[in-house]
Structures are given as structure tokens and as C-alpha cells.
Amino acid sequence: MDFHAAVEAWVDGFWLLLDATVLAPRASMLRIETGRDATDTAFLPTVGGSLQHSRLLVIATVDSLPLERSEERLVLR
């Protein structure tokens, strides 16, 4: 899997996780940042100098993924 963007929406008093693509099981997703913190999170910060990004490697493994049930309301914990 690659990184995947989804959205949380306030519905009936809960923040529900929605994924229009249905390409990844929502139960396997992880919230990286939220709210103002997400705006302030720098991907690649530098102060007073130059920077050349030459490589990035991200590895995630799982034995098995849960089945996606798109009709189910899912709240990220």
C-alpha cells in the first residue's frame, strides 16, 4: 500500500472516517496529525541553509488486512 488520503466528517455527533476510493480498509488507517497540528507539521524542515532531498524510504507491513465494510460507520481511535 501507498500513503492514502481519507477524510473525517462530523456526522450525528461523531467524527466518521470516509474514503471515497474504497481502496484501503478504513480499519487499518492511522491518523498522523489532526487540526491545527496538521497545518504546522513540517514534512522536511530546514532552518538557515539549503537542503537536497535525495531519498525517502517508508516501509509498513501487516500479516493481514481487515475486510472493508463500506456501509459500516467507522470512527478512528
Side-chain angles (χ1 to χ4, degrees), residues 4 8 10 20 27 33 41 49-50 53 57-58 66 77:
H4 190 87
E8 288 180 280
W10 185 256
E33 291 290 348
T41 299
S50 65
H53 185 188
L57 175 65
V58 177
R77 304 266 176 216

Side-chain angles (χ1 to χ4, degrees), residues 35-68:
R36 181 62 196 188
D37 290 338
T39 303
D40 293 336
T41 299
F43 169 71
L44 201 57
T46 183
V47 177
S50 65
L51 182 68
Q52 181 179 352
H53 185 188
S54 61
R55 181 180 169 162
L56 174 67
L57 175 65
V58 177
I59 298 174
T61 60
V62 64
D63 291 331
S64 65
L65 289 172
L67 293 175
E68 172 60 24

